Amino acid sequence: MQIKTDKKKSIHLIRDFIRKSDGLLFATDLQTGEIRIHQKQDKKSITFNREEVESVLYRMNSNNESFLQVNFSAGKKILLTNRYIGFAPAACDGLDPAKLPKVVTTPDLLSVIEAIESSLYGEDCYEEKLEDVKLFFESMSCGAEAVGFDLTGERLWVERLFATFPVAFKKALF
């Protein structure tokens, strides 16, 4: 169900939803119109201007849990759940889009980094080739950054992993 409201009411709807959530925090700067949504679990946040909000949709998932879909004027969108900010992974050349979930979160990104670590020096074997896992990381990272997450630390972490294991990296790509 789409909720058609003016910008101010949309922001109130987002704020009220987040205040009732277990894992999100809401902050706003009334002077600049800047809004920050913070995830408690991994301390990641996004920031946007209230004027960027185009519409808000109230939805229910298959478990009958409510969430908000926030659409922005630039075409991006996020999902606000009880604990996380969801976003779409970005399309990546060389990665089958059918392998990508429609919505991911930043904690999902950490799972992909752990899979890269395991593939490089762990004992766990994965069906996916290391190249595919790297592309999956890139797809999720680009999607996260497109909605406003700062992933500098995660990108440096993955770069260090591959720099430490250049032989494994070369085998994965060739």
Side-chain angles (χ1 to χ4, degrees):
M1 150 172 97
Q2 185 166 353
I3 300 167
K4 295 187 182 223
T5 60
D6 62 26
K7 300 241 186 256
K8 188 174 181 178
K9 287 182 182 177
S10 292
I11 301 310
H12 287 297
L13 181 65
I14 294 167
R15 182 200 62 209
D16 293 345
F17 181 87
I18 291 173
R19 285 190 177 157
K20 293 175 188 171
S21 77
D22 294 328
L24 301 175
L25 298 171
F26 179 90
T28 186
D29 183 330
L30 297 174
Q31 299 285 332
T32 65
E34 195 171 84
I35 294 169
R36 178 173 295 248
I37 302 173
H38 179 83
Q39 290 179 154
K40 292 177 186 177
Q41 181 180 356
D42 63 1
K43 299 177 180 33
K44 290 286 184 194
S45 61
I46 62 169
T47 303
F48 55 90
N49 191 288
R50 67 177 164 240
E51 293 302 317
E52 296 175 52
V53 176
E54 186 173 281
S55 63
V56 175
L57 294 103
Y58 181 85
R59 301 183 134 183
M60 301 291 273
N61 67 16
S62 58
N63 296 329
N64 219 22
E65 299 167 329
S66 61
F67 67 93
L68 291 183
Q69 177 179 320
V70 181
N71 298 319
F72 297 93
S73 52
K76 64 183 180 176
K77 69 175 107 176
I78 58 172
L79 301 180
L80 301 176
T81 69
N82 185 45
R83 299 180 53 98
Y84 303 111
I85 302 165
F87 54 90
C92 247
D93 287 339
L95 185 61
D96 180 3
K99 289 185 177 182
L100 293 171
K102 296 209 182 290
V103 177
V104 293
T105 65
T106 53
D108 296 328
L109 189 61
L110 295 177
S111 296
V112 173
I113 294 171
E114 290 169 358
I116 291 170
E117 285 180 322
S118 256
S119 293
L120 289 171
Y121 63 87
E123 294 180 13
D124 294 338
C125 268
Y126 293 93
E127 281 183 34
E128 294 82 16
K129 294 190 300 185
L130 186 57
E131 178 183 7
D132 289 341
V133 178
K134 175 83 165 91
L135 286 171
F136 196 65
F137 169 80
E138 190 60 29
S139 172
M140 291 175 69
S141 297
C142 289
E145 290 166 339
V147 297
F149 284 106
D150 177 8
L151 298 180
T152 304
E154 289 79 0
R155 286 193 176 278
L156 289 171
W157 183 3
V158 169
E159 283 179 29
R160 275 188 243 122
L161 287 173
F162 284 111
T164 306
F165 298 94
V167 174
F169 179 69
K170 288 178 185 171
K171 284 182 185 176
L173 293 178
F174 303 105

